[in-house]
Amino acid sequence: MISKNEIKIIKSLTRKKYRESFQSFIVEGYKSIRECHDAGLHIERIYTTAASHELDDLQPIVITDREMKAISNLTTPPGYLAVIKMPVLPDVPDKGLFVALDGIQDPGNLGTIIRLADWFDIKHILCHHGTVDLYNPKCIQATMGSLARVNVHYIDLPKFLSQTKLPVLIATMSQTSIYDHPLPPEGILVMGGESHGVSHEIVSKGKAISIPQYSSLQERTESLNVATATAIILAEWRRSIGT
């Protein structure tokens, strides 16, 4: 059983102000919940339906299909939903590879970039204020559990880039190809928002790089999806430094 008050609280977590108030967020799907548990995140409650047994060892609260539909954010609920406490983030280290995001608004793009960071073993993502909330349910769903292994920091990005000693690479539509520019063993890759790219204030704080375009002038596309572009650059960066 689940009380009406619990349903109200869980549904409220779809909104940022309530997530911040309760310091909690929702994860759906047994694989993502399992990864959050295995990564050491504090799970407050797990709800499952009677036919869902993948998380029985975590002692879930069994509810009806109707109750699950009432608390789920998905059209077809997977039968597993957890309320998880927001983790306390470590400090941003002063060395390593980082992805920085300036004004990403699509939660699916942010979630995919978090998943990419996990794939390429990047532990920290730096988000300029105004980037979409990582605990947005659509973002959580897109991370496929990678959120448990990647630290996402919301900071004053221009100030941080002004103070860091790490090389800063800015993804733009410039003529400097990532395949012609030697990539450093450590550094910060800055990716811009879907509509306007990296802001002028931030562009001035690093070296502009780009992914070369091979289509003809008549068929030229305006730009790549930001998550796709991030994947291409990170793959080349990891390949070029050999780690």
Side-chain angles (χ1 to χ4, degrees), residues 121-190:
D121 195 30
I122 292 173
K123 302 299 185 184
H124 298 269
I125 293 177
L126 313 175
C127 295
H128 190 31
H129 299 304
T131 296
V132 65
D133 180 24
L134 79 153
Y135 295 117
N136 179 296
K138 291 183 179 179
C139 178
I140 294 292
Q141 202 67 25
T143 69
M144 301 289 286
S146 291
L147 177 66
R149 293 178 294 274
V150 178
N151 299 296
V152 181
H153 308 263
Y154 287 79
I155 62 173
D156 182 336
L157 189 57
K159 180 179 179 181
F160 181 89
L161 296 178
S162 295
Q163 297 174 344
T164 185
K165 295 180 180 179
L166 289 169
V168 177
L169 301 181
I170 314 287
T172 69
M173 298 295 285
S174 75
Q175 298 302 309
T176 305
S177 168
I178 58 171
Y179 304 113
D180 299 331
H181 182 274
L183 300 174
E186 298 182 325
I188 302 170
L189 169 65
V190 182

Side-chain angles (χ1 to χ4, degrees), residues 17-69:
K17 71 174 183 177
Y18 291 111
R19 291 195 294 270
E20 292 179 345
S21 176
F22 288 105
Q23 285 294 291
S24 300
F25 63 100
I26 294 170
V27 173
E28 296 194 59
Y30 77 87
K31 288 185 178 180
S32 295
I33 294 171
R34 176 73 70 182
E35 290 194 41
C36 288
H37 172 269
D38 292 348
L41 297 186
H42 175 62
I43 299 178
E44 298 182 304
R45 296 178 299 282
I46 299 174
Y47 300 93
T48 64
T49 56
S52 305
H53 299 287
E54 295 290 344
L55 300 178
D56 283 358
D57 58 306
L58 301 183
Q59 300 180 325
I61 300 168
V62 180
I63 60 178
T64 66
D65 291 344
R66 183 175 181 178
E67 289 170 331
M68 181 62 75
K69 191 170 183 62

